[in-house]
Amino acid sequence: MIKEILLCKYGEIVLKGANRKYFEDMLCREMKKRAKAYGKFDIYRAQSTIYIEPLDESADVDGMFYAASKVFGIVAISRAAVCQKSMEDISRVTAEYIPAFLEGKRTFKVEAKRSDKSFALDSMEISREIGGVVLENCHKIKVDVHNPDVVVKVEIREFGAYVSAGQFKGAGGMPIGSNGRAMLLLSGGIDSPVAGYMISKRGVYLDAIHFESFPYTSERAREKVLELAKIVSEYAGDIKVHIVSLTHIQEELVKACDEDYFTLLLRRYMMTIAERVAKQKGCSALVTGESLGQVASQTMQALGVTDSCVSMPVFRPCIGMDKEEIVQISRKIGAFETSIQPYEDCCTVFTPKHPKTKPELEKVKAQEDKLPFEELVEEAIGTLYTVHITPEY
Ligand code: ATP
Ligand code: MG
């Protein structure tokens, strides 16, 4: 009988100094929260590793492995078989557990690590002996110590011995919650869910704000945004999505202002509203999916005009990325197929034919002053309602 365990390594880099325990506790809590959906596990930590140990047959190790791969702060995950701390048992488990992982592979090497120094053999001796066991049980495979297809690992640790073959990349980043809370401006497009993912990867909890313009935007467009929030929440944890209507603002803009300024004016309303709601919800920054030069409202001058109406930091993690790079991340997090569903966004109704690409702030303000800005902002905030998104891990 082989018992599998997950070893999630969080590395030393992000967990420095006095904060270390605080970060480690945070990571363990996050794992425990996610584990609930997959059965009974014991979750504990030692030596920069979180151990996820199934407690009975019904625990879903595959599901838990997938869930753990989305936890920020984890750099690598291995599935390992648990052994007693004796060469006899390690050899027995290796012979039974490892061959399936080496099928179709040409070369391997064994890497042994002995953090329990009371173990009788040293790392070299362990590697040699277990290498022999692998060769006996997998016929076509050869040893290559420089560039092996698979690394078989033997770890002699505090709580037991473990053998594994191959390691998987973790989600990286910093433990969620370790870096405060920010407000994501979430549209139904490709960029903003990616922006949310990237900021939460740095340990930030997210709230999201979505602007709609019913009846110019549809119920289906809103559902799409909530679906995107759900996808991001699988990494970021719970997300409250605050939905605000811009219908009246847009109708007033069309009546009163020069068409070339519509988008810029609308973005200044969005940022102002987002900042106020962010303050109410305890967020310290705004996050958008803008990328330099992607559209008229994302030139340096246009971004300057948009930013000048808020005082909070505005994070734009996609700013220096090409669309292709953004798409790659969107696919990786499983958002792409949802993002490309063709539903309108409030930014795409009433779009100007010749938007200003080098706007001057004074001229924008002159247009803005044609309307009662403050009144319209407060009225829009009055339409806010919140949908609480909880992830399905
Ligand atoms: P995305 O792919 O995220 O929709 P985009 O390239 O289409 O971005 P814009 O439509 O100009 O760009 O929007 C720029 C950013 O403004 C978005 O990334 C998002 O952060 C924010 N934004 C746009 N529309 C909305 C909306 N309806 N609600 C909330 N935020 C929005
Ligand atoms: Mg958009």
Side-chain angles (χ1 to χ4, degrees):
M1 248 285 286
I2 300 281
K3 177 174 176 172
E4 264 194 318
I5 189 171
L6 301 179
L7 302 175
C8 306
K9 309 193 181 175
Y10 46 83
E12 309 287 331
I13 318 127
V14 295
L15 307 175
K16 284 177 261 168
N19 283 333
R20 189 182 171 102
K21 191 178 170 311
Y22 169 73
F23 283 153
E24 287 174 329
D25 288 347
M26 222 169 230
L27 270 178
C28 265
R29 259 202 315 275
E30 192 60 33
M31 283 297 182
K32 283 179 184 165
K33 207 158 83 186
R34 290 168 193 243
K36 279 185 194 145
Y38 299 99
K40 285 203 181 104
F41 291 89
D42 194 11
I43 296 178
Y44 48 94
R45 62 181 161 77
Q47 296 162 325
S48 299
T49 302
I50 293 180
Y51 294 66
I52 306 180
E53 188 178 338
L55 289 178
D56 59 29
E57 287 289 299
S58 67
D60 173 5
V61 179
D62 288 339
M64 189 58 215
F65 177 81
Y66 183 65
S69 73
K70 293 185 169 183
V71 173
F72 290 133
I74 300 296
V75 294
I77 309 176
S78 41
R79 291 179 80 125
V82 183
C83 324
Q84 285 160 22
K85 284 201 223 176
S86 70
M87 283 312 286
E88 194 188 352
D89 200 52
I90 296 170
S91 302
R92 173 190 70 84
V93 171
T94 301
E96 197 175 324
Y97 182 68
I98 294 297
F101 291 91
L102 301 187
E103 238 163 68
K105 306 284 194 246
R106 287 173 304 122
T107 56
F108 80 104
K109 76 167 175 181
V110 177
E111 252 177 38
K113 229 185 177 170
R114 184 186 60 141
S115 48
D116 174 359
K117 300 292 179 206
S118 68
F119 194 75
L121 274 61
D122 69 17
S123 316
M124 287 293 283
E125 291 165 330
I126 301 169
S127 298
R128 211 173 305 132
E129 197 164 325
I130 297 304
V133 174
V134 173
L135 287 170
E136 264 170 44
N137 287 277
C138 309
H139 297 301
K140 284 189 184 145
I141 204 148
K142 291 198 174 85
V143 176
D144 179 348
V145 289
H146 300 296
N147 193 20
D149 291 343
V150 186
V151 177
V152 173
K153 271 200 175 150
V154 182
E155 300 175 73
I156 318 287
R157 290 166 165 259
E158 187 183 341
F159 300 120
Y162 308 93
V163 290
S164 60
Q167 209 177 45
F168 299 85
K169 234 177 130 174
M174 298 187 66
I176 195 78
S178 63
N179 245 331
R181 179 175 290 277
M183 180 67 76
L184 169 67
L185 281 84
L186 182 62
S187 69
I190 296 169
D191 309 331
S192 48
V194 168
Y197 160 82
M198 289 184 71
I199 290 299
S200 72
K201 183 175 180 189
R202 298 309 300 162
V204 177
Y205 278 131
L206 296 177
D207 271 52
I209 188 163
H210 174 66
F211 298 101
E212 60 180 15
S213 200
F214 198 74
Y216 308 104
T217 62
S218 64
E219 185 80 31
R220 194 58 196 89
R222 180 195 308 159
E223 278 164 22
K224 171 184 172 183
V225 168
L226 296 176
E227 209 171 303
L228 288 170
K230 190 145 202 150
I231 293 166
V232 176
S233 78
E234 285 176 24
Y235 296 88
D238 295 18
I239 299 179
K240 291 197 184 89
V241 182
H242 310 289
I243 298 176
V244 171
S245 169
L246 287 187
T247 310
H248 190 210
I249 291 175
Q250 287 192 286
E251 286 171 347
E252 291 301 303
L253 282 173
V254 171
K255 272 192 257 164
C257 305
D258 180 346
E259 182 192 300
D260 295 355
Y261 289 92
F262 280 179
T263 310
L264 277 168
L265 293 168
L266 188 65
R267 298 206 59 77
R268 283 169 62 87
Y269 275 101
M270 283 184 173
M271 295 299 266
T272 304
I273 295 167
E275 184 181 48
R276 287 199 200 167
V277 177
K279 281 183 184 154
Q280 285 171 16
K281 308 296 174 191
C283 301
S284 318
L286 303 177
V287 181
T288 80
E290 288 155 316
S291 160
L292 195 61
Q294 197 188 75
V295 288
S297 62
Q298 296 173 22
T299 64
M300 235 185 272
Q301 292 83 352
L303 293 174
V305 164
T306 333
D307 274 5
S308 66
C309 61
V310 294
S311 58
M312 256 183 199
V314 181
F315 296 146
R316 298 183 167 94
C318 302
I319 196 73
M321 292 162 71
D322 295 342
K323 194 73 186 186
E324 211 27 62
E325 293 170 299
I326 303 174
V327 164
Q328 227 175 51
I329 300 178
S330 172
R331 286 188 192 279
K332 184 179 85 176
I333 64 174
F336 187 71
E337 295 305 325
T338 305
S339 284
I340 58 172
Q341 287 170 18
Y343 297 103
E344 64 302 307
D345 180 57
C346 68
C347 283
T348 56
V349 290
F350 308 119
T351 41
K353 285 188 203 69
H354 308 288
K356 293 277 177 217
T357 53
K358 289 187 179 169
E360 291 163 49
L361 185 57
E362 287 319 306
K363 289 188 181 160
V364 176
K365 280 191 171 156
Q367 290 292 323
E368 195 165 88
D369 288 344
K370 293 183 172 182
L371 290 171
F373 187 83
E374 187 54 36
E375 208 178 299
L376 286 168
V377 164
E378 281 308 315
E379 184 199 301
I381 292 176
T383 67
L384 181 145
Y385 72 95
T386 300
V387 181
H388 195 144
I389 301 291
T390 43
E392 276 164 29
Y393 291 122

